Amino acid sequence: MIINFDSVVPHPIRDIYSSESDIWNNNIVFEQGKFYQISAASGVGKTTFLNLIYGSRKDYDGSVFINQKNLNNLSFTDWSKLRTRSVSMVFQGLFLFDNLTVFQNIMLKNRLTNHKTEDQIMDMINQLGIGELKDKIVAKISFGQKQRVAIVRALCQPYQVILLDEPFSHLDTSSAQIALQLIIESSMENHATILLTSLSETLVSDNFSLIKL
Amino acid sequence: MKKDSLLYKILWSNYPRTAFIISGFGLLLGAAIVFFGAGLFLVFRQIQMSDDQLFPKEFIVINKKVSLLNTLSISNSGFSEEEIEEIKNQPFVVNLSPFVSNQFKIGAYTEATENVPGFYTELFFQAIPNQYLNIKDSRWKWEKGQKEIPIVFPSDYLKLYNFGFATSQGLPQVSAKTIGRVSFKVKITGKNGVHHFTARIVDVTDKVNTILVPLDFMLWANDSFGVEEKKSSPSMILIETENAANPEIISFIQTKGYETNTERLKNSKTAFFLKIVFIIVSSIGGIIVLLALLMFVFSLEILILRSKESIKKVLLLGFHYNHLLKIYLLFITIMLLVILSLSWFFAQTGLNVLEQFVSENGFSFPSDLGIQLLLLPVLTLVILLIINMITIRLQLRRINSESNG
C-alpha cells in the first residue's frame, strides 16, 4: 500500500506548522513495507497526520492518496472495509471499552475480522505480560496495560499499514521493546508499512526512517 | 448472535430501563385496546354478514300509516306519482323502487290427503326489480310458459305457520333450510278466467313483510290477468340509501306520516352506535399506542446518545453502522414481538370472555377471528419497526459523520 501526501495542510495547524516539515504542505510518499517514525513536539499534528490516513478527519487542504485513490472520495463502506482489511491503528486515546474485559476488547475486533485464533491471541497477550489480566475489566487496569491491549487488538486484523499513535508512551523500555518486536514481526509477515509517531527523535529501531513533522 | 454478543454488551449497557419499561407497558395496554376494538369490529361485521342478504345493506321499506281514513276508503294507502317523485328527490335517497302488486285475485291451496287437510287462502304477491335483491337460489327466475312461480316468503309467516298453524293442526314444522322443498298450488282469477300454477318457496327474509315473486312474472301476469278494479298505486317503496340510520330519514318519514320497518332502523342505529364505540375505543387505544411509541422512540434516542462515545469507537474499529442498526433492530423486534403477542393474547382473551357472556345470554357470537385478528399486530409490528429503523438509522448516520471528521 502506497500512501501519498500532496500539499496537505490540516486546518487546525494552518498557522503553526513548520515550513521545514517533511509532510505538511509537501509531497511525500510512504512506501509499502517500510517503517517510518514521525517525530515532533506536542501540538504540531502527529495525531492529526494519522487520523487523516485513518479517515477520521477530513478538515484539511491538499490531497491524501492510498494506492492512488483520493481518500476524500471514499464512502463509509469503503472506510469500513479498509479499517478491517488494510489499515490498522493504535489510537492515542486507545478507544477500549471499559465495561468489557481485556480479552473481550480484543475479541470484539477479532470477531469482526476472524483473523487470529484464540490461542494466537493468548500467545500475544502473554508475550506482552498481560495474560493474567485477561478476564479483568479494562476500567480496572493501568494505562500502560491498556496500551498493550490496544496493540494486540490492532494486530487482530489483516493490514497493509499500521498506524501507531505514541503507542509506548506509558510502557517501560523492556515492555516497549517486546511490543515493538511483536509489531515489527507482524508487519513483516503482512509486508506492511508502519507509521509510528513519537515525541522523541531517537529512533525506536534501526529499521525505521525518521520523518520530521 | 455469539459474534455480536460483545456489541450487545456495549450498545445496551446503559439503556434507560424505566423509560423502556413504561413505554413497553404503554404499548402493551394501547395495542391490547386497539386489538380488542378491532376484534369487536370484526365480530360485528361477521354478524352483519351472516345476516340475511336478500337486500342491499342500506335500505328501508316505507309504507303509509293505516288510519281510519284508509279504513273508510276516504284516503288511499298507496303512493301517488307525485309522492314517489318527492321521495326520490330527498338527499338521502340513492335509488328507489315501488313494489309492484298483483292486479288479480290469488288463492293458495293444497289438496287434502290422508294425513294433511286441504286448505285455501287468498294471497297477494309483490315484486321489485332484481337489482334490489340478492337472491342466490338459481330457481329465482321466471320465463313465459313456466308453471312454477318461485317466491320469497317473510320469515314471520313461517313462524306463524310453525308455531301457530302447524302445532295446532299436527302438521310438520318447516325450517328456513327445508322451506325450499315446500310448494303449494296457486289459483289466479283474472280477466282471462282461472289459471293454476305451482308456487315454490326459494328463500325467506326477515327484512320485509311481503311475498315476493320475480318481477318478470308479475308484469306478465298483471298484463295477462289484471283487472281494472284491482289496479292500485304502490303501497310500499324500497329505498336504497347511504346510511339507513340517517336522522333525516326518520324525520322525513315522521313528517310525511309514513311508516318503515323500525327493526331495520333499530339495527342500523345499533350498527351506527357500535361503529362510534369502536371508533372511540380504537382512538383511545391508538392515542395510548402513539404516546407509548413516542416514549419508546425517545428512549431509543436516549440510549443511542448515552452510547454515543461507544458507537464512535465501534465505528472507528471498522464496524459498519448497518451492522449496529441490525443489532438494535433485532433487540427491538424481539421486544415488540413479546409486547404485541401479549396484547393480542389479552385482546383475544377479552373477546372470549365476551363471547361466553353473550352466549350465556342466548346470542351467538362468531369466535374464529384468530387469523383476521392476527393481521393487525403483524401490521403494527411492521409499522413500528419501520419507524424505529428510520429513527435509529438517522442517529447512527449522524454519529458516523461526527466520528469521521
Side-chain angles (χ1 to χ4, degrees), chain B residues 2 37-38 44 50 77 98 111 121 132 143 148 151 180 194 213 221 247 255 281 303-304 338 377:
Chain B
K2 194 192 165 199
F44 177 67
S50 61
S77 67
E111 276 153 14
T121 177
Y132 298 101
E143 283 164 5
E148 188 174 272
I151 67 174
V194 178
V213 292
T255 324
V281 167
L303 166 69
I304 293 174
V338 171

Side-chain angles (χ1 to χ4, degrees), chain A residues 54-58 76-77 80 83-84 91 95-97 99-100 104 107-109 111-112 153, chain B residues 2-3 5-7 9-10 13 310 313-321 323 400 403-405:
Chain A
Y54 201 68
S56 49
R57 286 200 85 132
K58 294 191 171 68
F76 183 74
T77 308
S80 178
R83 288 168 186 171
T84 46
F91 307 93
F95 295 163
L96 295 174
F97 298 94
N99 59 332
L100 299 186
Q104 285 172 335
M107 286 309 288
L108 179 70
K109 177 87 185 196
R111 281 182 189 167
L112 180 68
R153 184 180 67 180
Chain B
K2 194 192 165 199
K3 189 182 159 200
S5 58
L6 294 174
L7 272 181
K9 215 170 167 179
I10 293 166
S13 61
S310 300
K313 286 185 208 170
V314 166
L315 293 172
L316 279 175
L317 284 181
F319 284 91
H320 199 285
Y321 59 80
H323 193 131
N400 180 44
S403 69
N404 285 284

Side-chain angles (χ1 to χ4, degrees), chain A residues 56, chain B residues 308-309 312 396-405:
Chain A
S56 49
Chain B
K308 193 171 166 180
E309 289 312 309
K312 279 186 183 175
L396 289 178
R397 281 183 75 107
R398 205 175 298 148
I399 295 174
N400 180 44
S401 48
E402 272 178 35
S403 69
N404 285 284

